C-alpha cells in the first residue's frame, strides 16, 4: 500500500569531540533535478538569523553540523545517514549520576539525527519502536545500544533521554484505510497523520475527537499533501496517489523537502526549546537573586543573546517552514515558557529598582541627619563662645583702671566672672541649639 515510507528521528547525545569520518555541514540531500540540498542551497531558503544556528557561520570559523553515510542500512535498522547538530551553550548540564554530562566534564551536547527507511508493510509500527529509548525497558536499552554503536565510539545517550522526536513521510499507491483504533469521525488521512506524528498506536492512546483543539497542529501544505505537528513529532502524508512510474512528479520533491528544510525547522524548534528549558531551570535554582546577583546578571545577558539569536518564528522566505515552527511552539508551549522567563526577569528588575530607590532615600535621610547634627554643634558653639568672648574682651581692659565704689577690682574677681560667663554661655548654647533644631523640624 505504501509507496514512500521514511522517517528522521533525533535525540540528544553527548561526546567529548566529533572525530573520525564525520564531514562538516548538513547532509547534502539529493533533489530530483540532480542538485543537492547542501548548506549553500539551504541558506537561500532560511533567513540569515536562522542559518548560523543550523549550519554554522558562513566563513567556517566554527562547525556546528556534521554528517556521514551509513553502510549496510545501519546494522539492519534501516538507517541510511546520520547527522549531528551542536546544541547551544545555553543548554543544561546534566548530572553525571543521571547519565548526562558532569559539570566541568567538557563533553559537547548534540542532536543526533538518523535518516531511515521504513518497511512498507508496517512503517509506523517500525517507527514506534525506533523512538522508544527508555533506559528502564529492554526494548529501549537495545535501541540505545544500536544507536550508540551506529554513532561511533565516545557517544553517549543520557539517562534523561527516554524518547526520540520524529519526522515521518508516508505516501501511498492507493487510498489507505483508516488505522486501527482511529476515531470514526476522522478521515483515514487524519488517522494516519496522527498515528505517524505520535508514533503511538491509536489503540494504545486515542485522543478525544470532540476536543476542539486536538487537530490544531494541522498544516495544509497543498492539495497533494498535508502535515500534522504534535508534541512528539511531525507527520507528512500524501493525499493523492504516488505513482511509481512518475519519478518526475511532486513526491520526490516532497521527500527532499522533508529530509532537509522541514527537518531543519524541527531542529531549530528543538534548539529553542532546549535553551528555554535551561533558562527556566536555572532561574528556579538561583533562589535569592540579591545574594547571587552576579550569576543572575550573567543569566540575563544569556537570555538577551538567546532572544536575538534563536527566538524567532519567522525564519524562512516561504510559509511552510514558518507554519511548522509555529505549530511546534504551540505543541511544546515554548512561547508561554519564554514569556514566563522574561516576566521573571522584569519582576526582578523592578525589585532592584525599588531597592535602589529605598537605598537612595536612606542615604538622603542619613545626610539630612548629619546636617542637623552639624547645625546643632555650630549653634552650641555660637551661644557657648559668643558671650564668653565678649566677657574676655572686656577683661582685656587693664585691671588697674577698673574700680567700683572707689575700690579697685581684683583680677581674681574678673577671672571668676569670666568662668561664670563661660558656663552661662554653654548652658545658653545648649538651650539655643535645641530651639534652632526644633524650629527646623
Amino acid at each position: 500500500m505504501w509507496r514512500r515510507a521514511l522517517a528522521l528521528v533525533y535525540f540528544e547525545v553527548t561526546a567529548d569531540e566529533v572525530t573520525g569520518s564525520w564531514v562538516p555541514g548538513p547532509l547534502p540531500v539529493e533533489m530530483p533535478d540532480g542538485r543537492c540540498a547542501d548548506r549553500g542551497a539551504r541558506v537561500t531558503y532560511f533567513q540569515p538569523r536562522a542559518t548560523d544556528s543550523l549550519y554554522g557561520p558562513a566563513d567556517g570559523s566554527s562547525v556546528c553540523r556534521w554528517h556521514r553515510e551509513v553502510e549496510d542500512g545501519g546494522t539492519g535498522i534501516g538507517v541510511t545517514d546520520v547527522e549531528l547538530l551542536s546544541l547551544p551553550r545555553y543548554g543544561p548540564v546534566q548530572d553525571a549520576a543521571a547519565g548526562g554530562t558532569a559539570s566541568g566534564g567538557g563533553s559537547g551536547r548534540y542532536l543526533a539525527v538518523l535518516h531511515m527507511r521504513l518497511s512498507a508493510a508496517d512503517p509506523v509500527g517500525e517507527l514506534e519502536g525506533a523512538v522508544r529509548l527508555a533506559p528502564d525497558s529492554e526494548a529501549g536499552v537495545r535501541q540505545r545500544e544500536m544507536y550508540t554503536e551506529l554513532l561511533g565510539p565516545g557517544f553517549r545517550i543520557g539517562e534523561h533521554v527516554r524518547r526520540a522526536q520524529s519526522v515521518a513521510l508516508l505516501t501511498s499507491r492507493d487510498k489507505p484505510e483508516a488505522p486501527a483504533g482511529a476515531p470514526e469521525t476522522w478521515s483515514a488521512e487524519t488517522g494516519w497523520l496522527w498515528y505517524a506524528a505520535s508514533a503511538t498506536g491509536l489503540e494504545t492512546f486515542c485522543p478525544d475527537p470532540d476536543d476542539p483543539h486536538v487537530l490544531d497542529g494541522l498544516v495544509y501544505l497543498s492539495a497533494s499533501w498535508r502535515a500534522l505537528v504534535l508534541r512528539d513529532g511531525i507527520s507528512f502524508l500524501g493525499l493523492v496517489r504516488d505513482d511509481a512510474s512518475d519519478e518526475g512528479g511532486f513526491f520526490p520533491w516532497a521527500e527532499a523537502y522533508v529530509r532537509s528544510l522541514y527537518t531543519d525547522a524541527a531542529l531549530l524548534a528543538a534548539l529553542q526549546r532546549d535553551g528555554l528549558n535551561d533558562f527556566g531551570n536555572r532561574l528556579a535554582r538561583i533562589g535569592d537573586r540579591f545574594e547571587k546577583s552576579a550569576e543572575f546578571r550573567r543569566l540575563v545577558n544569556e537570555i538577551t543573546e538567546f532572544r536575538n539569536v534563536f527566538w524567532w518564528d519567522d525564519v524562512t522566505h516561504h510559509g511552510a517552514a514558518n507554519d511548522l515552527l509555529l505549530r511546534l511552539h504551540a505543541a511544546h508551549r515554548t512561547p508561554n515558557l519564554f514569556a514566563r522567563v522574561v516576566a521573571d526577569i522584569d519582576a526582578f528588575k523592578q525589585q532592584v529598582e525599588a531597592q535602589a530607590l529605598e537605598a537612595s532615600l536612606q542615604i538622603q535621610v542619613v545626610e539630612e541627619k548629619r546636617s542637623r547634627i552639624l547645625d546643632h554643634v555650630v549653634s552650641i558653639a555660637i551661644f557657648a563662645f559668643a558671650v564668653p568672648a565678649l566677657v574676655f574682651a572686656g577683661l582685656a581692659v587693664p585691671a588697674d583702671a577698673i574700680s567700683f565704689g572707689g575700690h579697685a577690682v581684683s583680677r581674681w574677681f574678673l577671672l571668676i566672672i569670666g568662668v561664670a560667663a563661660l558656663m552661662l554661655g554653654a548652658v545658653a548654647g545648649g538651650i539655643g541649639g535645641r530651639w534652632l533644631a526644633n524650629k527646623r523640624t
Side-chain angles (χ1 to χ4, degrees):
M1 177 179 69
W2 300 109
R3 170 74 176 86
R4 299 175 197 272
L6 61 95
L8 299 92
V9 298
Y10 54 96
F11 49 90
E12 180 187 332
V13 297
T14 59
D16 295 334
E17 58 180 341
V18 180
T19 59
S21 58
W22 293 97
V23 180
L27 178 70
V29 177
E30 186 176 354
M31 295 187 288
D33 61 0
R35 295 179 298 152
C36 286
D38 55 10
R39 187 191 191 285
R42 298 189 195 194
V43 297
T44 63
Y45 184 84
F46 286 97
Q47 298 281 3
R49 54 180 172 267
T51 56
D52 286 357
S53 304
L54 290 169
Y55 315 122
D59 59 8
S61 57
S62 62
V63 180
C64 70
R65 188 92 172 251
W66 299 262
H67 72 273
R68 65 179 175 85
E69 295 182 359
V70 177
E71 299 178 356
D72 301 326
T75 62
I77 57 176
V79 177
T80 59
D81 306 276
V82 291
E83 294 186 83
L84 289 175
L85 175 61
S86 179
L87 283 163
R89 60 184 174 85
Y90 314 109
V93 178
Q94 300 293 337
D95 182 68
T101 304
S103 300
S107 294
R109 299 172 58 247
Y110 309 91
L111 285 177
V113 186
L114 279 57
H115 298 243
M116 58 179 57
R117 297 284 174 179
L118 303 174
S119 67
D122 185 18
V124 186
E126 188 173 323
L127 176 62
E128 189 173 355
V131 300
R132 298 292 190 268
L133 300 177
D136 51 2
S137 70
E138 292 184 6
V141 170
R142 287 196 302 269
Q143 207 69 27
R144 295 162 73 93
E145 291 174 350
M146 287 191 292
Y147 288 164
T148 52
E149 181 181 354
L150 185 66
L151 292 168
F155 285 92
R156 300 173 294 277
I157 304 175
E159 295 292 321
H160 62 285
V161 179
R162 303 186 60 84
R163 180 191 171 104
Q165 302 282 303
S166 62
V167 180
L169 169 67
L170 298 175
T171 67
S172 59
R173 297 183 177 88
D174 301 300
K175 183 177 176 61
E177 296 182 358
E184 295 181 358
T185 55
W186 283 5
S187 66
E189 289 81 4
T190 299
W192 282 107
L193 280 168
W194 185 279
Y195 184 21
S198 64
T200 301
L202 287 161
E203 294 176 315
T204 302
F205 175 77
C206 183
D208 183 358
D210 294 330
D211 182 350
H213 302 290
V214 71
L215 297 176
D216 282 353
L218 281 171
V219 180
Y220 298 90
L221 299 170
S222 72
S224 298
W225 64 332
R226 188 175 298 165
L228 177 64
V229 178
L230 298 179
R231 181 194 62 192
D232 294 323
I234 307 174
S235 62
F236 296 86
L237 182 71
L239 302 178
V240 296
R241 184 171 181 267
D242 184 6
D243 193 343
S245 62
D246 188 14
E247 285 300 324
F250 168 73
F251 286 116
W253 287 98
E255 179 178 332
Y257 295 154
V258 169
R259 296 185 64 202
S260 58
L261 302 175
Y262 296 162
T263 293
D264 285 347
L267 296 178
L268 181 60
L271 296 182
Q272 296 171 336
R273 184 171 64 254
D274 182 80
L276 285 173
N277 283 330
D278 169 52
F279 291 141
N281 293 334
R282 288 167 62 186
L283 278 171
R285 288 196 299 266
I286 285 179
D288 190 336
R289 281 75 188 284
F290 294 102
E291 291 183 358
K292 301 180 179 180
S293 58
E295 180 181 350
F296 186 79
R297 284 195 299 270
R298 183 168 59 252
L299 181 58
V300 170
N301 292 335
E302 289 184 13
I303 293 173
T304 301
E305 180 184 350
F306 172 87
R307 179 174 56 192
N308 295 336
V309 175
F310 284 100
W311 189 242
W312 300 94
D313 52 23
D314 184 8
V315 297
T316 76
H317 300 286
H318 309 280
N322 289 332
D323 292 339
L324 293 172
L325 188 58
L326 284 171
R327 300 299 195 283
L328 284 164
H329 285 170
H332 292 273
R333 300 183 179 181
T334 44
N336 295 338
L337 178 57
F338 181 76
R340 180 67 180 84
V341 168
V342 172
D344 188 280
I345 293 175
D346 288 341
F348 180 71
K349 286 181 179 178
Q350 293 175 5
Q351 291 177 353
V352 171
E353 292 172 356
Q355 188 185 49
L357 179 59
E358 182 180 354
S360 176
L361 292 175
Q362 290 176 352
I363 293 174
Q364 183 178 356
V365 169
V366 171
E367 292 296 331
E368 291 178 352
K369 184 176 181 180
R370 288 177 179 174
S371 177
R372 287 196 299 269
I373 292 174
L374 179 60
D375 290 346
H376 196 175
V377 172
V378 171
S379 301
I380 293 175
I382 291 173
F383 280 95
F385 295 104
V387 174
L390 293 174
V391 172
F392 280 106
L395 292 177
V397 179
D400 294 338
I402 301 175
S403 62
F404 180 76
H407 300 281
V409 178
S410 169
R411 291 180 179 273
W412 287 105
F413 183 72
L414 294 176
L415 181 61
I416 292 172
I417 292 174
V419 171
L422 184 62
M423 295 174 63
L424 180 62
V427 173
I431 296 172
R434 290 190 183 92
W435 178 77
L436 288 174
N438 292 333
K439 292 289 285 184
R440 289 190 179 93
T441 58

